[in-house]
Amino acid sequence: MAALKKSTELLESVYSVVALLFILLACVGLCDAAAAVDVYRLIQYDMSGSPFGSRFAALNHHAASLSFPPGADLSRTVLIIPLRELNITFVREYITQKKPLGGLLFLLPEVLSFKHGGNMQVHEKEKMKKLLAELERLLVHSNIACPVYFAFENDDIDTVLADIKKNDAMGQPATATTGGYKLVIPTAEPKKVVSPTITNIQGWLSGLKADGDANQLPTIAIVASYDTFGAAPALSVGSDSNGSGIVALLEIARLFSLLYSNPKTRGRYNLLFGLTSGGPYNYNGTQKWLRSFDQRLRESIDYAICLNSIGSWDNELWIHVSKPPENAYIKQIFEGFSNVAEELDLKVGLKHKKINISNPRVAWEHEQFSRLRVTAATLSELPVAPELFEGTGSLFDGRQYVNETAIIRGVKLVAESLARHIYGHQGKNVQIFADESILAVNPAYIRSWLDLLSQTPRVAPFLSKNDPFVMALKKELADHADEVNVQHENLEGIFTFYDSTKARLNIHQVASVTFDLLLLLVLGSYLIVLFCFLVITTRGVDELISLFRRPPSRKVKTA
């Protein structure tokens, strides 16, 4: 019994040492957290079944800079690329040739963050805008088989990057053997967004009917699409496209609600305000909204003015139409805007683009009206229509790129032109919305809404029916309209979207495998010596030797 007790005690000692070794092995893998930052994933979507964007989200690789040694294996490496150092040719080569790459992390200047704000020099703005436009065009229209993220520069990540550059320049890139920095994003793989919804918000201001007049009043529609699309959905705020259009529509609704609140100044036109969704996807929401109209309402629309990107122009805006310029209604619209523009010392140009009914691509919002034979035009600073997914809330389309004065002038132009048409003052130099009057454009109102829009990503598939922003738009329009209706529809078409748009990146400083093995060897040796010492001092040398002696076989025991 005593021998059995001794053996049990010795086995317990052995188990304790083994447990300590396992704990040691676990500790060896630990590393110091160098920084943690918010990152924004490149959009992932399918178009007609073809995959585009970043197809993965989880990340667990070592980091490197553009100073990595030639010929280095980057299949398990994340390249950190500050926008100021971007080599677009290098990135295009890796993406188009599908070279193995662990991941990409693009660092944007902090001044572009809607949380930070700030101003940039004009030449720096334009350089940044051109570079980001080229980068987004490449990323959005490519199928990239690795995680791609964006982050904003800060002191922590700048310190880490400086250290990485130093190691890369010395020919010591981060690997499992050499150690370095490891980037970790422990997130689940993206899932399809099931039945994404789009929400249209409609406001109605009733005109004044004459006594005994049974005819329906004519209607003028003012429309703006409010959702965005960009390389990083969580950063796609679209301050100009189409935040400026939304702000202008709300201010025009506010101005006319003041006029229409008094029966003496209420016009003999109904005003229809539409905040539509699905703009980047061929104005899918506008199409559904128009098809929900009954024939009587659709036929009552005299014309529609769509507002798109009017926040960063200097002295000229464009009226885009689908009907020929010789058309009587188009001539009337253009002349009305031209007369007011001349008084405001602005220029207005006319651009005609015939639509192709068989082509599913809808470049301008007014084209959805034209397809239903409703006279419409789009007012924009853009001389030509942007390509698909371009100019709809890009990374560079932030608060810094929008001029409040441009929006104020645009509101004056539209409001005065509509008012003169409604009240029959065409060709007369009459300012209804004169400065310093009760009907003057309110710069503070425009600024507050522009600030809100410049902090609110609005990519439709990631906006719920009851999203706080959608509810805020509805409430604001309700304050200026007699009646507000909301329409919820599924986003249909050729697009499929995936979630996981934002994550938390942990940057760890890890030791090399050589260091880990050496540490393990030293600590393991220490534990063995400690164990031997304890056995000898408590039970003697013979007991220690017996632990390693081979036990007698069964045959010997039987004999």
Side-chain angles (χ1 to χ4, degrees):
M1 287 294 290
L4 181 61
K5 189 177 179 182
K6 268 188 180 180
S7 298
T8 304
E9 289 175 353
L10 286 173
L11 284 173
E12 287 177 355
S13 300
V14 172
Y15 292 153
S16 300
V17 171
V18 171
L20 284 170
L21 284 172
F22 275 118
I23 293 170
L24 177 62
L25 285 170
C27 292
V28 166
L30 295 178
C31 43
D32 295 330
V37 295
D38 289 326
V39 290
Y40 310 90
R41 193 168 78 96
L42 174 66
I43 194 163
Q44 179 181 352
Y45 69 99
D46 300 337
M47 185 165 62
S48 298
S50 299
F52 292 95
S54 174
R55 310 309 294 182
F56 296 94
L59 200 63
N60 190 359
H61 294 310
H62 287 87
S65 68
L66 287 176
S67 306
F68 65 89
D73 179 14
L74 301 179
S75 59
R76 295 187 60 81
T77 300
V78 181
L79 282 182
I80 302 179
I81 306 176
L83 185 64
R84 303 177 197 277
E85 302 172 13
L86 176 64
N87 183 340
I88 195 70
T89 304
F90 167 82
V91 177
R92 182 180 288 108
E93 179 184 330
Y94 260 80
I95 291 175
T96 56
Q97 297 181 17
K98 298 192 179 300
K99 293 185 177 181
L101 192 61
L104 287 168
L105 175 61
F106 294 99
L107 298 183
L108 306 175
E110 195 175 11
V111 71
L112 293 180
S113 168
F114 49 74
K115 295 177 182 177
H116 180 272
N119 295 311
M120 289 187 289
Q121 298 295 328
V122 175
H123 71 280
E124 189 181 5
K125 271 187 182 181
E126 291 307 311
K127 180 183 176 183
M128 201 77 66
K129 185 175 181 178
K130 185 178 179 182
L131 195 58
L132 274 172
E134 193 174 0
L135 176 63
E136 282 195 84
R137 195 179 301 117
L138 170 65
L139 297 178
V140 167
H141 296 289
S142 300
N143 176 12
I144 306 174
C146 70
V148 181
Y149 284 93
F150 298 90
F152 291 103
E153 296 173 341
N154 59 34
D155 293 341
D156 290 337
I157 205 164
D158 287 348
T159 301
V160 169
L161 181 58
D163 206 6
I164 292 171
K165 284 181 178 179
K166 180 181 176 183
N167 292 336
D168 288 347
M170 294 170 60
Q172 297 176 350
T175 63
T177 306
T178 61
Y181 289 93
K182 180 171 273 193
L183 308 187
V184 180
I185 300 178
T187 185
E189 286 309 311
K191 297 177 182 177
K192 289 183 180 180
V193 177
V194 181
S195 301
T197 58
I198 51 178
T199 302
N200 298 318
I201 306 169
Q202 171 185 305
W204 183 267
L205 263 179
S206 299
L208 183 66
K209 275 190 175 185
D211 293 336
D213 187 1
N215 295 323
Q216 183 171 351
L217 291 176
T219 301
I220 295 177
I222 303 97
V223 188
S225 179
Y226 67 81
D227 62 325
T228 59
F229 180 96
L235 295 176
S236 184
V237 296
S239 296
D240 190 12
S241 177
N242 190 30
S244 60
I246 301 167
V247 172
L249 182 145
L250 292 175
E251 175 63 357
I252 291 168
R254 188 189 69 81
L255 293 172
F256 276 96
S257 71
L258 294 174
L259 273 176
Y260 274 48
S261 63
N262 186 343
K264 294 181 180 180
T265 56
R266 181 178 294 182
R268 299 192 183 277
Y269 275 81
N270 296 320
L271 292 180
L272 176 63
F273 297 96
L275 289 165
T276 59
S277 184
Y281 323 107
N282 296 317
Y283 295 97
N284 189 250
T286 309
Q287 180 192 47
K288 292 178 181 294
W289 180 53
L290 292 175
R291 293 191 182 279
S292 71
F293 292 177
D294 59 45
Q295 186 175 355
R296 197 170 172 214
L297 172 58
R298 198 181 302 163
E299 290 176 352
S300 76
I301 298 177
D302 208 8
Y303 65 86
I305 290 294
C306 304
L307 307 175
N308 186 313
S309 304
I310 58 169
S312 60
W313 54 286
D314 292 324
N315 203 45
E316 187 170 21
L317 287 171
W318 298 94
I319 295 177
H320 298 269
V321 295
S322 300
K323 292 183 177 181
E326 299 79 23
N327 181 279
Y329 293 103
I330 298 301
K331 285 180 72 175
Q332 185 183 34
I333 294 171
F334 181 62
E335 287 175 4
F337 273 77
S338 295
N339 291 336
V340 174
E342 190 175 346
E343 294 170 17
L344 296 175
D345 198 23
L346 310 175
K347 290 182 181 179
V348 174
L350 186 66
K351 292 276 187 175
H352 171 233
K353 175 182 171 290
K354 190 175 180 180
I355 61 174
N356 182 358
I357 300 296
S358 61
N359 187 353
R361 171 75 177 122
V362 180
W364 295 109
E365 189 164 19
H366 74 265
E367 293 181 9
Q368 290 290 13
F369 287 85
S370 299
R371 287 169 184 251
L372 296 176
R373 302 187 182 282
V374 176
T375 301
T378 294
L379 182 70
S380 177
E381 69 205 22
L382 305 173
V384 294
E387 296 297 325
L388 181 67
F389 293 153
E390 292 182 18
T392 53
S394 305
L395 289 168
F396 58 80
D397 190 0
R399 186 69 175 84
Q400 301 82 2
Y401 289 89
V402 178
N403 183 352
E404 290 172 28
T405 304
I407 298 177
I408 292 169
R409 296 167 80 197
V411 169
K412 283 184 179 179
L413 172 64
V414 177
E416 287 289 351
S417 300
L418 294 180
R420 292 186 188 186
H421 181 85
I422 291 169
Y423 297 105
H425 294 325
Q426 295 98 323
K428 299 177 183 178
N429 190 356
V430 178
Q431 282 202 29
I432 297 173
F433 302 101
D435 294 339
E436 308 302 329
S437 72
I438 194 172
L439 294 175
V441 176
N442 187 343
Y445 181 85
I446 288 175
R447 187 180 306 113
S448 64
W449 268 98
L450 190 57
D451 288 343
L452 173 64
L453 290 162
S454 299
Q455 299 175 36
T456 311
R458 305 183 300 280
V459 179
F462 308 109
L463 285 177
S464 65
K465 292 179 181 179
N466 299 316
D467 188 271
F469 172 74
V470 175
M471 293 297 100
L473 279 182
K474 177 188 173 185
K475 181 180 181 301
E476 188 63 29
L477 197 56
D479 289 343
H480 309 311
D482 300 332
E483 180 186 338
V484 169
N485 296 310
V486 176
Q487 177 192 28
H488 300 295
E489 296 282 351
N490 286 335
L491 177 61
E492 297 174 358
I494 58 177
F495 304 103
T496 303
F497 295 90
Y498 295 78
D499 61 10
S500 187
T501 61
K502 185 178 177 181
R504 187 73 171 169
L505 169 67
N506 296 303
I507 305 175
H508 298 288
Q509 190 168 13
V510 295
S512 66
V513 171
T514 306
F515 174 80
D516 290 345
L517 291 174
L518 182 60
L519 181 62
L520 180 62
L521 180 62
V522 170
L523 293 178
S525 301
Y526 168 75
L527 288 174
I528 291 170
V529 171
L530 178 62
F531 174 73
C532 294
F533 174 77
L534 290 174
V535 172
I536 291 171
T537 55
T538 56
R539 295 181 178 84
V541 177
D542 292 339
E543 197 68 43
L544 177 64
I545 295 171
S546 67
L547 285 176
F548 301 99
R549 188 176 294 157
R550 193 172 176 183
S553 65
R554 244 183 227 181
K555 290 182 181 179
V556 174
K557 283 183 179 180
T558 305

